[in-house]
Amino acid sequence: MAVNYKKCPKCGSKNSVKIVYGMPSFKLFQEAEAGKVKLGGCCIIEGGPEYHCKDCNNEWNREQVLDIAYGQIRGLKASVGGYFGGYYHVTNY
Ligand SMILES: [Zn+2]
């Protein structure tokens, strides 16, 4: 399944940039100046945000996107199961 990591989980905007950690190269610095990436600083934070939303300033990482995506799948399966459960209930009568 395709997960769009760059889509903001808060406002749904795709106007987001990747947060790059570590010492930026000159090229990376120029990209940051142009608003293509966001510099996260020289220290890599475990479980820290990987994307920054330019619309609502929300920051998130891929793990959070997957959590939300799998949560939606679980919700879908529950409603399908409920439908079939109701179906069998009716045929038993
Ligand atoms: Zn956003």
Side-chain angles (χ1 to χ4, degrees), residues 4-93:
N4 189 355
Y5 295 117
K6 284 192 82 179
K7 192 176 155 191
C8 175
K10 196 175 168 190
C11 72
S13 168
K14 285 173 188 166
N15 191 18
S16 64
V17 289
K18 201 173 190 326
I19 302 171
V20 182
Y21 293 95
M23 258 324 234
S25 63
F26 183 65
K27 186 177 169 284
L28 196 63
F29 198 76
Q30 282 182 318
E31 282 180 351
E33 286 281 287
K36 286 179 191 164
V37 294
K38 187 177 157 68
L39 299 177
C42 57
C43 303
I44 298 158
I45 310 153
E46 189 74 43
E50 292 175 85
Y51 297 95
H52 171 89
C53 175
K54 289 205 255 184
D55 285 344
C56 72
N57 288 324
N58 183 35
E59 290 183 342
W60 66 97
N61 61 32
R62 276 179 278 191
E63 217 167 294
Q64 286 169 299
V65 174
L66 285 177
D67 273 358
I68 293 163
Y70 284 125
Q72 282 169 352
I73 292 168
R74 268 201 297 273
L76 204 69
K77 274 185 181 160
S79 66
V80 169
Y83 173 78
F84 280 108
Y87 179 75
Y88 283 121
H89 182 75
V90 171
T91 52
N92 282 343
Y93 270 100

